[in-house]
């Protein structure tokens, strides 16, 4: 295989390889951090702090209770929770008790929830009361034996003002009536668990830590099987890449959902391992509230996606915050646009770094070198101990400058999709690289750039048009807030480019946009159709859903 050209771009002091053998399991790493940082605050949510010591005590109590329920080692336990401290308590409990964590999106419909619980074979679930009505619809058709329910104020009483403001106005309205026979309140499970011995599970690198569900090409999501070794490796890769992160002194804002692999590994597990503080944003759609929350803290790290950065930059008051302590802003999930990255730097005085990863890779594969802060549009270079190879359809490695499928090998790459032998045969190359389905190229320096998802490509008269490029050009127009590009059938050219635009300037016209595109794009890439929308359909991580726009 090819040389690792990219090692020349490594920052000084970053090792070329990591050694995951320094820990027996992810659990060992977590337990060491919980003990070492017992007195430090671990999270703040709605102005209520929780310490690592409390996290340690609560997660071992819940772990002991789970162990008393007759679950076999390695049993799958689901959690369906928003960004509240219960997420961390539950996740740590599941891992410490020797079980596998199945993260479930709390916004799932009954159909999606039933598929994931049945596919994973989950035996127990910890669910937010707001989603119990959905769970009630499907519980009888799943392998679930135990349902544990929780609400915001379970682990600590909320301040009176919060209850008046938030809980009464918003939460009560959000909890549809439900009845699940035998459901156990989290408080009860914790009280019983405290009186029981917690037995440390004998875990090793090969044990499954997470089933991380990800969109399937067939429309049904499939579980990426991530072991303790996979996730541990990714944490060590990121820690070695970011030596500026100091133990015990970091504070990260977590607005991306914790059930999503990006926030799960980076915000939660990485900052757990550092004894960092986590500011949990339970409702990131309330941007003014988000800005107020940020103003209370000396933030050192922030992760986001393009839509979230853009939303914050357009929220009054954001530009007046104190960014002097901010060391690290990482964008992922989807391409960060040049216009957004440059504005982030202008407003905060700090660079925005891009990373690339997938649920299948725990997630981080590449990151831009943090000592080169200018926005490049590239996803950077592979992390230590990682191989990236650009392949053609015949699995031949392509030279620098040629676009092909990005394939990756490394200790963070999943074992395969849970119980999907046929999918796994297609997912890996004969020499053991994971095929990502992303089209990319490597430049002469060994830096990688994503061209686009294979399936989102638009074919205009035999020319490839990549939606990312069109959207990035539209974002440079001052009258555009957000956009999405798709291909539509066309009698003459096979497909034509159509764009959906949310206006920032109400006076923006179709003619102005087309003219702007003509100035920045080759003829065949210029949108043939323009539609204005009040908002774009998005996933809960803020990724714009092009597929929902295809039929419009």
């Amino acid at each position: 295989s090819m040389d690792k050209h990219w090692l020349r771009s490594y920052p000084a002091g970053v090792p070329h390889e990591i050694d995951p053998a320094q820990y027996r399991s992810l659990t060992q790493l977590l337990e060491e951090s919980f003990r070492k940082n017992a007195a430090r605050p671990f999270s703040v949510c709605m102005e209520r702090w929780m310490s690592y010591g409390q996290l340690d005590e609560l997660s071992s109590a819940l772990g002991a209770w789970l162990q008393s329920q007759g679950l076999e080692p390695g049993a799958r336990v689901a959690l369906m929770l928003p960004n509240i401290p219960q997420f961390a308590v539950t996740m740590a409990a599941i891992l410490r008790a020797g079980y596998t964590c199945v993260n479930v999106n709390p916004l799932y419909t009954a159909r999606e929830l039933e598929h994931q619980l049945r596919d994973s074979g989950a035996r127990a679930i910890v669910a937010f009361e707001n989603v119990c009505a959905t769970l009630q619809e499907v519980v009888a058709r799943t392998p679930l034996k135990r349902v544990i329910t929780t609400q915001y104020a379970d682990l600590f009483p909320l301040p009176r003002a919060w209850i008046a403001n938030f809980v009464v106005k918003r939460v009560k309205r959000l909890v549809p009536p439900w009845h699940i026979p035998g459901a156990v309140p989290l408080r009860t499970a914790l009280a019983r668990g405290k009186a029981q011995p917690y037995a440390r599970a004998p875990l090793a690198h090969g044990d499954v830590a997470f089933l991380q569900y990800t969109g399937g090409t067939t429309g049904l999501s499939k579980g990426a099987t991530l072991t303790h070794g996979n996730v541990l490796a990714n944490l060590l890769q990121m820690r070695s890449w970011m030596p500026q992160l100091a133990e015990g002194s970091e504070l990260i804002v977590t607005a991306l959902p914790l059930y999503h692999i990006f926030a799960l590994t980076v915000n939660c597990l990485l900052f757990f391992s550092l004894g960092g503080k986590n500011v949990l944003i339970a409702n990131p759609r309330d941007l003014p509230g988000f800005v107020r929350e940020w103003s209370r803290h000396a933030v050192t790290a922030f992760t986001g996606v393009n839509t979230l950065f853009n939303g914050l930059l357009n929220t009054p008051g954001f530009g007046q915050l104190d960014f002097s302590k901010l060391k690290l802003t990482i964008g992922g999930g989807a391409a960060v646009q040049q216009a957004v990255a440059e504005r982030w730097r202008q407003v905060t005085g700090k660079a925005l770094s891009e990373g690339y990863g997938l649920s299948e890779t725990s997630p981080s594969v590449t990151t831009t070198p943090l000592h080169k802060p200018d926005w490049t549009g590239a996803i950077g270079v592979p992390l230590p101990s990682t191989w990236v190879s650009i392949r053609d359809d015949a699995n031949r490695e392509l030279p620098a400058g040629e676009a092909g499928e990005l394939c990756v090998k490394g200790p963070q790459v999943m074992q395969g999709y849970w119980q999907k032998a046929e999918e796994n045969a297609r997912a890996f190359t004969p020499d053991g690289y994971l095929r990502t389905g992303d089209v990319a190229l490597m430049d002469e320096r060994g830096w990688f750039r994503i061209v686009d998802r294979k399936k989102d490509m638009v074919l205009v008269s035999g020319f490839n048009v990549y939606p990312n490029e069109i959207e990035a050009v539209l974002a440079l127009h001052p009258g555009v807030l957000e956009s999405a590009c798709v291909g539509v059938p066309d009698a003459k050219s096979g497909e034509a480019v159509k764009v959906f635009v949310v206006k920032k300037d109400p006076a923006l016209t179709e003619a102005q946009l087309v003219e702007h595109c003509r100035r920045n794009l080759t003829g065949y890439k210029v949108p043939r159709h323009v539609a204005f929308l009040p908002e774009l359909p998005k996933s809960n991580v803020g990724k714009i859903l092009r597929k929902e726009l295809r039929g419009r």
Side-chain angles (χ1 to χ4, degrees), residues 254-322:
T254 302
L256 297 178
L258 286 167
Y259 61 79
H260 185 271
I261 191 69
F262 186 25
L264 178 75
T265 304
V266 182
N267 294 57
C268 194
L269 295 170
L270 176 62
F271 282 80
F272 264 6
S273 77
L274 289 163
K277 292 181 204 172
N278 233 304
V279 178
L280 299 175
I281 306 290
N283 178 22
R285 287 191 175 77
D286 170 14
L287 289 170
F290 185 167
V291 169
R292 274 195 306 280
E293 187 60 39
W294 186 308
S295 71
R296 297 188 179 106
H297 306 285
V299 178
T300 69
F302 181 54
T303 58
V305 290
N306 191 72
T307 45
L308 181 58
F309 297 131
N310 196 27
L312 283 171
L313 288 166
N314 286 301
T315 301
F318 181 72
Q320 283 68 62
L321 296 173
D322 175 6

Side-chain angles (χ1 to χ4, degrees), residues 344-479:
W344 183 266
R345 181 147 200 190
Q346 221 180 308
V347 170
T348 67
K350 304 293 167 88
L352 205 163
S353 308
E354 263 203 278
Y356 167 78
L358 314 124
S359 299
E360 291 87 343
T361 55
S362 305
S364 304
V365 175
T366 67
T367 308
T368 46
L370 300 173
H371 65 305
K372 294 201 162 72
D374 290 323
W375 187 88
T376 59
I379 53 168
V381 295
L383 289 168
S385 297
T386 305
W387 290 90
V388 173
S389 173
I390 303 295
R391 307 277 175 103
D392 67 11
D393 290 341
N395 195 40
R396 283 183 300 244
E397 192 160 77
L398 295 169
E402 277 189 47
E405 185 170 13
L406 188 152
C407 300
V408 58
K409 200 178 199 176
Q412 73 273 49
V413 177
M414 68 168 180
Q415 307 310 292
Y417 295 111
W418 179 250
Q419 297 175 340
K420 301 268 183 288
E422 281 172 43
E423 297 249 10
N424 291 335
R426 287 195 298 272
F428 290 91
T429 65
D431 55 340
Y433 278 76
L434 172 76
R435 302 173 191 273
T436 65
D438 284 315
V439 181
L441 52 82
M442 183 181 80
D443 68 16
E444 298 299 332
R445 302 172 301 167
W447 280 49
F448 290 84
R449 177 181 299 275
I450 294 285
V451 189
D452 221 328
R453 290 289 309 172
K454 277 183 161 172
K455 57 178 180 288
D456 281 344
M457 194 180 78
V458 184
L459 204 59
V460 180
S461 306
F463 289 102
N464 295 351
V465 178
Y466 293 107
N468 282 359
E469 183 187 10
I470 315 300
E471 290 163 6
V473 164
L474 288 168
L476 295 171
H477 192 291

Side-chain angles (χ1 to χ4, degrees), residues 169-180:
K169 275 194 207 141
R170 289 249 295 292
V171 179
K172 287 278 187 283
R173 205 179 65 227
L174 294 174
V175 181
W178 59 275
H179 174 65
I180 300 173

